[in-house]
Amino acid sequence: MKREIPIFFSTDDNYLPYLDVAISSLIANASKEYEYRLIVLNTGLNEDGIRRIKQNEAAGFKIDFVNISADTERIKARLKDVYHFSVVTYYRLFIASLFPQYDKAVYLDCDLVVLGDVSELYHVELGDNILAAAPEQFVQNTREFRLYAEKALGVDPDGYVNAGVLLMNLKEFRRNNIEEKFIQLITEYDFDLLDPDQAYLNYLCLGKTHVLPNGWNKEPMPLACEGEKNIVHYALYKKPWQYDDVIDGEHFWYYAERSPFYEEICRRKRAFGEAERAEKDATAREILEHAQRIVNSEDTFVKKLCKI
């Protein structure tokens, strides 16, 4: 019997087309030596979108949609939309408790394309680390964000990881009570953050994160790729389904053209005009200014908390 590899996503209706692109790229490039269970966490999705995504199912690839509304009910009022991050981004923090049958899992954002074999990521040795993840390249290369990571969160900017591609040691996640600590922090404090769940994961898993080469989470920046380019992650505010000049955007369109959502993706791109671009550009400038305000605030992880 083939070994099962669990891979998690989370989405709302708006990101269903991009989830489809991510899943189809993953399936196209994954080793057929394993069984894959793709689990999509959500709090309610339209049935037609689910049906179209499940068309990706094939021998060795099962796609399940799991509604976690009841599980997030107790803290959903605390989960805030921040810039281009929606509350969906927090769902990965509940995987360890919701799926006790798994001791290890991969988590992937929807705004990415998998170009390599995801089973190789799953088999990275974690030891007693809680996570394996690649550096957040925008933080590494942006002065305002380097200060944010260091001065607000107490994390080395060069070791600050992007939470959009994670190999999760769920056994250690549970043993270290990461979910409970997150709920405690989000309940007792109202930290001003730029990247909500990512900041919490970097803080709570400090010293227990295995840093991957950025080839496992290559952001669209003019940086050298470390090793093979296995995953392209459109993590910045410019997405290939909105802008023409996104680095590595051609990989997204290769799979988008084969998606049942292709016409919808194209319609959305045509509707994204000058006003929307101006708004996004203004938001990008505001994020940098916001980072500086947080650094100068008295209400930061570094200033308010000892290590939990």
Side-chain angles (χ1 to χ4, degrees), residues 92-93 96 103-106 124-133 161 166-179 181 200-211 307-308:
R92 73 201 79 187
L93 290 157
D103 285 340
K104 190 178 188 182
V106 171
V124 169
E125 181 56 50
L126 283 168
D128 62 356
N129 285 308
I130 301 169
L131 301 174
V161 296
L166 298 174
L167 177 60
M168 305 179 72
N169 186 339
L170 300 178
K171 186 176 181 180
E172 287 297 312
F173 206 95
R174 290 185 282 264
R175 194 175 72 81
N176 285 273
N177 300 312
I178 299 300
E179 181 181 324
K181 291 175 181 177
Y200 285 108
L201 281 170
N202 272 277
Y203 178 79
L204 291 170
C205 300
L206 186 62
K208 302 282 275 183
T209 299
H210 173 69
V211 179
K307 184 68 178 166
I308 295 178

